[in-house]
Amino acid sequence: MGSIYALAALGFNIIYNATGIINFAQGEFVMLGAMLMAYFAAVLKLPLLLAFIVVVLLVACVGLILERGCIHPLKNPSILVLVMITIAASILLKGVTMFIAGKEVHGMEYFSGENTVVDMGGAKVPTQTFWILGVLGVVVCGLVIFFNLTLAGKAMRACAFDRTAASLMGIPTKRMVMFSFFLSAAIGGMAGAVIVPISMADYQSGAMFGIKGFGAAVFGGLGNNFGAVSAGLILGILEALTAGYLSSHYKDALPLAVLLLVLFVKPSGLFGSEAAGRLKKF
Amino acid sequence: MLRIQNIRSFYGNLLVLKNLSLHINEGEIVTLIGANGSGKSTLLKSIMGLLPPRQGLIVFQDKDITHLRTEKIVRLGIALVPEGRHIFAPLSVQDNLLLGSYSRYSFRNKSEVMADFDRIFDLFPHLVKKRKQLAGTLSGGEQQMLAIGRALMSRPRILLLDEPSMGLAPIIVEDIFAKITKLRSEEKTTILLVEQNAEMALDISDRGYVLETGKIVFQGPREDLLENAEIKRAYLGK
Ligand SMILES: Nc1ncnc2c1ncn2[C@@H]1O[C@H](COP(=O)(O)OP(=O)(O)OP(=O)(O)O)[C@@H](O)[C@H]1O
Ligand SMILES: [Mg+2]
């Protein structure tokens, strides 16, 4: 479960780094990924890998359309306006999904077969957990390589650090923003596609994914990808413990509690430092 | 080579450049001096498309660039070393330079870009040992060298420098100015130098302009500026 929050948090970070905005539609990307995956794999019975790729591309395109249609045309929008646009977009995505897919909960069987588990020292771990961890691992490695070893990745980091200086290098900063939406939507879609066998999804699931991902992003220090992954995993473990020792009624409240606590106590997050200054823009 | 005609630039409703005109010929070093807030940096931002003028014309090599986007302007061969350096602190020295070549980097001319690394390191041997270091850990002088080197990586035909001497010890300033002269003589780079350090800047220039509250109030060859009584009093501290 924590891996999903980590993935959602990474999505928040990528857009935040490129644009300085919190994309409140990030949870909706996860929801879309989950719904589409359930549709393609369980209803259309496409091969898993094909379904996964199609889903990720589709969700990434939704991210692209969101940026092209709503963010790009604005000349000098304030951060607040942009954030409100993402909120509007999330409501829109939710509505459209409900309209098309209905209000039912959708799910599918585990990638490795119906309810398969692995026995690990007595604890029965669903096989899907490993799929989720695997996807997280691949995404993290991919991002590390992208941001540290490719020119485009370095250009994106440069944009995140100093937009003006980046454009003085000839870096097309607007295209980088577009790409950041594409990338984080793709990651959101992946998260949704791997989680749906475990958690099922309906048109409303996005909010929960969004809030928990945002909680992990802030917890880990907004904009800090290492922090996001660690915080996402910690949050997932805490949630499991809450469900185990207290009551599963409280488990959803935990990320919110953590979010508030972090905002009160250490707004720069567990691993953040400079991000604190940037957070003040809100 | 670069011609600026009657531009008016605004921040919101604040008119900062008031019908400003100037030109730079190929191969020249031109210095622009002016008090704090007179609009020097604003002029450079207007040239680079960061703050396009609302009126007037900016022409570079017979091409109207007034309303082009910054990345296009860089591609045409204009580079700015911004005031305050603006290096990418969390990236290595080498990556800063690499990003400087972004506008012309491609698989095909990779070896050319690599050769340019050596050119920059020849010009600023200081940076060689620090190439793997994070740019944020460099000293002020080194950061300025990096900022200039980064701008040069785009192979500009004209280099705009906004107060490269700011906050640096005189000996380092001298070094940097020597490098600027060398750029002109060896690489034929045209240079527009914006400086508070008027005397040193004029010493290496061919011509100069004086900017006061958004207007050019004096222009001429170096000697004219150095000998003008009013400029001496106001900008050269004599
Ligand atoms: N981003 C901005 N928003 C609004 N006004 C600005 C902005 N930047 C500069 N100004 C105003 O424009 C005028 C010119 O500023 P500019 O930075 O061009 O001056 P300068 O000649 O470069 O001064 P300095 O020597 O201090 O660098 C000043 O009055 C300044 O207050
Ligand atoms: Mg200035």
Side-chain angles (χ1 to χ4, degrees):
Chain A
M1 217 44 217
S3 314
I4 292 303
Y5 304 152
L7 285 170
L10 285 174
F12 275 109
N13 277 346
I14 288 168
I15 291 185
Y16 177 78
N17 276 337
T19 61
I21 67 181
I22 308 275
N23 170 28
F24 280 98
Q26 188 62 33
E28 255 52 53
F29 293 153
V30 181
M31 178 274 289
L32 278 180
M35 298 287 279
L36 287 170
M37 187 67 183
Y39 178 71
F40 283 117
V43 181
L44 294 186
K45 305 247 183 285
L46 289 187
L48 273 182
L49 184 64
L50 180 64
F52 185 78
I53 291 171
V54 171
V55 166
V56 171
L57 284 180
L58 277 177
V59 179
C61 287
V62 170
L64 209 57
I65 292 166
L66 170 64
E67 200 277 335
R68 282 276 102 172
C70 309
I71 311 257
H72 192 86
L74 302 173
K75 275 251 163 66
N76 284 311
S78 72
I79 299 276
L80 194 62
V81 169
L82 288 172
V83 170
M84 287 199 291
I85 288 177
T86 70
I87 295 176
S90 91
I91 295 170
L92 182 73
L93 285 174
K94 207 183 290 185
V96 170
T97 311
M98 183 186 81
F99 189 71
I100 297 174
K103 293 187 176 176
E104 303 84 49
V105 175
H106 299 263
M108 62 181 286
E109 55 185 49
Y110 293 174
F111 288 4
S112 319
E114 182 84 51
N115 290 326
T116 43
V117 291
V118 176
D119 206 327
M120 282 179 55
K124 293 209 179 352
V125 184
T127 50
Q128 192 64 24
T129 312
F130 299 102
W131 282 104
I132 297 174
L133 279 174
V135 166
L136 175 66
V138 169
V139 168
V140 169
C141 290
L143 287 179
V144 167
I145 291 172
F146 175 68
F147 283 117
N148 291 297
L149 299 179
T150 69
L151 182 65
K154 288 170 187 172
M156 241 173 125
R157 282 170 66 201
C159 266
F161 181 72
D162 189 331
R163 189 95 85 90
T164 309
S167 68
L168 286 174
M169 302 297 103
I171 297 169
T173 47
K174 283 213 154 182
R175 206 169 319 147
M176 289 289 157
V177 170
M178 192 170 93
F179 184 65
S180 75
F181 271 81
F182 181 84
L183 193 60
S184 56
I187 293 176
M190 280 182 212
V194 284
I195 189 72
V196 67
I198 287 197
S199 77
M200 317 247 270
D202 63 15
Y203 73 101
Q204 289 184 313
S205 309
M208 221 45 204
F209 291 129
I211 288 173
K212 290 178 182 176
F214 182 53
V218 171
F219 187 27
L222 210 48
N224 178 336
N225 287 333
F226 163 76
V229 173
S230 324
L233 294 176
I234 295 174
L235 219 54
I237 294 169
L238 283 179
E239 194 178 286
L241 290 177
T242 322
Y245 288 103
L246 288 167
S247 150
S248 57
H249 295 309
Y250 295 129
K251 87 175 171 47
D252 286 339
L254 185 85
L256 283 175
V258 169
L259 177 59
L260 290 176
L261 198 69
V262 171
L263 284 176
F264 281 130
V265 180
K266 193 169 184 297
S268 56
L270 211 50
F271 307 96
S273 48
E274 25 136 25
R278 296 195 261 163
L279 198 65
K280 293 201 188 96
K281 273 197 280 200
F282 291 94
Chain B
M1 179 176 219
L2 181 67
R3 194 155 44 86
I4 290 155
Q5 269 175 6
N6 290 320
I7 60 166
R8 293 158 72 83
S9 296
F10 295 73
Y11 290 107
N13 288 325
L14 177 70
L15 174 63
V16 176
L17 301 181
K18 304 159 185 166
N19 290 322
L20 185 152
S21 299
L22 62 76
H23 71 276
I24 299 154
N25 301 317
E26 185 142 18
E28 274 189 319
I29 299 185
V30 173
T31 290
L32 175 70
I33 55 180
N36 292 112
S38 57
K40 305 182 296 295
S41 302
T42 307
L43 169 64
L44 298 182
K45 281 190 218 164
S46 289
I47 297 174
M48 293 310 296
L50 294 170
L51 184 78
R54 293 218 191 128
Q55 285 167 34
L57 207 59
I58 303 176
V59 180
F60 176 63
Q61 295 185 322
D62 299 325
K63 192 172 160 51
D64 180 0
I65 61 163
T66 321
H67 298 288
L68 288 188
R69 259 180 292 141
T70 306
E71 54 286 4
K72 291 256 172 65
I73 295 174
V74 174
R75 224 155 279 230
L76 287 174
I78 309 184
L80 168 65
V81 180
E83 182 173 20
R85 310 188 262 270
H86 287 264
I87 52 156
F88 302 118
L91 278 79
S92 72
V93 167
Q94 202 162 334
D95 283 347
N96 270 265
L97 292 176
L98 179 71
L99 286 169
S101 73
Y102 189 93
S103 58
R104 62 193 194 89
Y105 188 96
S106 72
F107 255 125
R108 253 177 294 131
N109 67 4
K110 206 169 171 178
S111 56
E112 232 177 80
V113 172
M114 291 306 140
D116 279 1
F117 271 102
D118 296 334
R119 258 179 63 222
I120 303 298
F121 286 133
D122 279 347
L123 191 65
F124 299 116
H126 255 88
L127 297 178
V128 181
K129 270 180 284 150
K130 320 231 161 174
R131 59 196 299 167
K132 297 257 149 65
Q133 215 167 305
L134 294 188
T137 63
L138 299 181
S139 72
E142 289 163 346
Q143 289 192 9
Q144 188 63 58
M145 292 174 200
L146 178 59
I148 297 174
R150 186 182 63 171
L152 289 174
M153 286 297 284
S154 68
R155 290 235 176 150
R157 283 182 241 189
I158 177 162
L159 182 66
L160 317 177
L161 293 143
D162 197 347
E163 304 201 27
S165 74
M166 203 189 345
L168 303 181
I171 185 162
I172 297 173
V173 176
E174 236 164 85
D175 183 41
I176 286 179
F177 278 23
K179 299 290 160 67
I180 294 171
T181 324
K182 194 170 160 193
L183 270 178
R184 190 258 295 265
S185 58
E186 288 180 11
E187 318 244 347
K188 310 275 175 274
T189 315
T190 307
I191 287 161
L192 173 60
L193 183 56
V194 164
E195 264 299 341
Q196 300 261 356
N197 212 328
E199 187 156 19
M200 276 177 98
L202 284 171
D203 275 340
I204 65 164
S205 320
D206 305 307
R207 289 191 299 123
Y209 287 88
V210 181
L211 186 63
E212 251 170 45
T213 56
K215 283 186 227 145
I216 300 289
V217 294
F218 192 92
Q219 57 175 303
R222 168 186 55 193
E223 297 78 20
D224 288 7
L225 270 84
L226 285 171
E227 281 155 23
N228 182 293
E230 227 171 289
I231 295 176
K232 267 189 177 165
R233 189 176 44 75
Y235 299 102
L236 305 172
K238 288 181 193 163

